[in-house]
Amino acid sequence: MTTKSRPTRFPVGVVVAAAIALTFMIIWSAVHWSQMAPTIVTREAGGNHGASIVSRGFSAAAMPGTLALTSSLLTISPWVHQKFSSLTGIPLPRYDRSAARVLTAVQAGLSLVMCTAHVFIVDLHTAAGIPAVKLMAMSLGALFVLLGVYFPIAQTDVETNNAWIEAFVVAQRSLSRSVGIALAGVGLATIAVAATSPWRALAIGCSGMVAISVVFLVICLVKANRLHGLKHRHP
C-alpha cells in the first residue's frame, strides 16, 4: 500500500451531538437553579481532614466543562491523528466517512452518559429523589448499543507496507461484526437489568466491556500472527 495525502474531514456530528447535550445541561441547571442548595457536604469532617463542601455553581459547571473538553479533543483528533502519523511515520487508520460516523456515535453516547451524570449531580443539591443510578446504568447500556451498531462499519484502512499490520487489519475486520453484536448484547442486558438492579447493571456493563475488549485484542493478535506466518511460508 502507498500513503497518499488526503484532506481531513471535519467531524460535524461530534459538534452537533455535543451542542445538543450542552444545551440540555444549561437548561436543566437553569430550571433547577432556584431549588438547588447553595452548597452540599460530600464528606464530613474527621481525622486529619475537614468537611468537603461543593457549591452549586461548581456542580452545575462540572459536566458541561467535562463535555466541552471531551468534545474538543474528539473534534481535533482527526488532525492530531494525521499529524502524528506524518511526523512519526507510524501507519494509522485513515479518518474517512465510516470513522466520522463512529466518532459521532461515540460522542452521542458519551453525551447521553454525561447528561445523566449532570442530572444526578444537580439532584444532589435539590434532593428530588431522581433514580440517577438507574438512569446512569441505562445510559451506559445505550452507549454500548451505539458502539455495537457502529463498530462493524469502522472498517480500518491502514496504508502500510508492513505485512504484520496488514494481517492485523484483516483479523480485525473478520471479527468486527461479532464484536458489534457482543457490545450491543451487553448494552441491552445492562438496560434490562437496570430496571430492577441498577448497581448490578453497571457491573455487568463495565465488566462486559472490559471482557470484550480483552478477548477481541487477544484473538486479533493470534489471528494476525497466524496470517502473517502463513504469508511468509507461502509468499
Side-chain angles (χ1 to χ4, degrees):
M1 300 182 190
T2 57
T3 302
K4 298 177 182 178
S5 178
R6 291 178 176 82
T8 302
R9 191 182 292 271
F10 183 77
V12 178
V14 171
V15 177
V16 172
I20 293 172
L22 190 60
T23 301
F24 168 81
M25 290 180 185
I26 292 172
I27 293 175
W28 188 267
S29 296
V31 169
H32 294 86
W33 184 259
S34 61
Q35 305 165 31
M36 293 174 68
T39 59
I40 57 172
V41 178
T42 58
R43 186 178 65 173
E44 298 291 345
N48 297 323
H49 62 80
S52 178
I53 299 174
V54 180
S55 68
R56 63 179 173 179
F58 179 84
S59 294
M63 279 300 107
T66 303
L67 174 65
L69 177 61
T70 55
S71 59
S72 297
L73 292 175
L74 285 175
T75 301
I76 66 172
S77 63
W79 287 274
V80 174
H81 173 104
Q82 186 182 57
K83 193 67 175 175
F84 177 81
S85 184
S86 63
L87 288 175
T88 62
I90 297 174
L92 294 173
R94 279 208 314 269
Y95 181 80
D96 53 15
R97 187 181 296 274
S98 64
R101 289 173 180 171
V102 173
L103 205 60
T104 300
V106 170
Q107 178 62 67
L110 288 175
S111 295
L112 180 59
V113 172
M114 289 184 191
C115 283
T116 307
H118 183 69
V119 170
F120 168 69
I121 293 172
V122 170
D123 184 62
L124 293 177
H125 287 264
T126 62
I130 294 173
V133 179
K134 180 185 291 187
L135 293 176
M136 182 65 72
M138 288 182 171
S139 64
L140 193 64
L143 170 60
F144 293 157
V145 171
L146 272 174
L147 293 177
V149 170
Y150 280 91
F151 189 83
I153 72 170
Q155 294 297 324
T156 305
D157 190 5
V158 180
E159 298 182 335
T160 177
N161 293 318
N162 187 300
W164 190 90
I165 293 178
E166 289 184 358
F168 186 85
V169 170
V170 171
Q172 179 263 318
R173 285 177 173 172
S174 69
L175 294 170
S176 61
R177 186 174 296 277
S178 298
V179 172
I181 292 173
L183 283 171
V186 168
L188 292 173
T190 302
I191 294 172
V193 175
T196 56
S197 181
W199 287 108
R200 183 176 297 175
L202 287 173
I204 290 172
C206 294
S207 60
M209 185 67 172
V210 171
I212 291 171
S213 301
V214 171
V215 171
F216 173 63
L217 178 60
V218 170
I219 295 177
C220 278
L221 290 172
V222 171
K223 291 189 72 171
N225 282 326
R226 190 176 68 222
L227 291 170
H228 185 249
L230 288 173
K231 188 172 182 178
H232 273 272
R233 284 198 297 269
H234 306 285

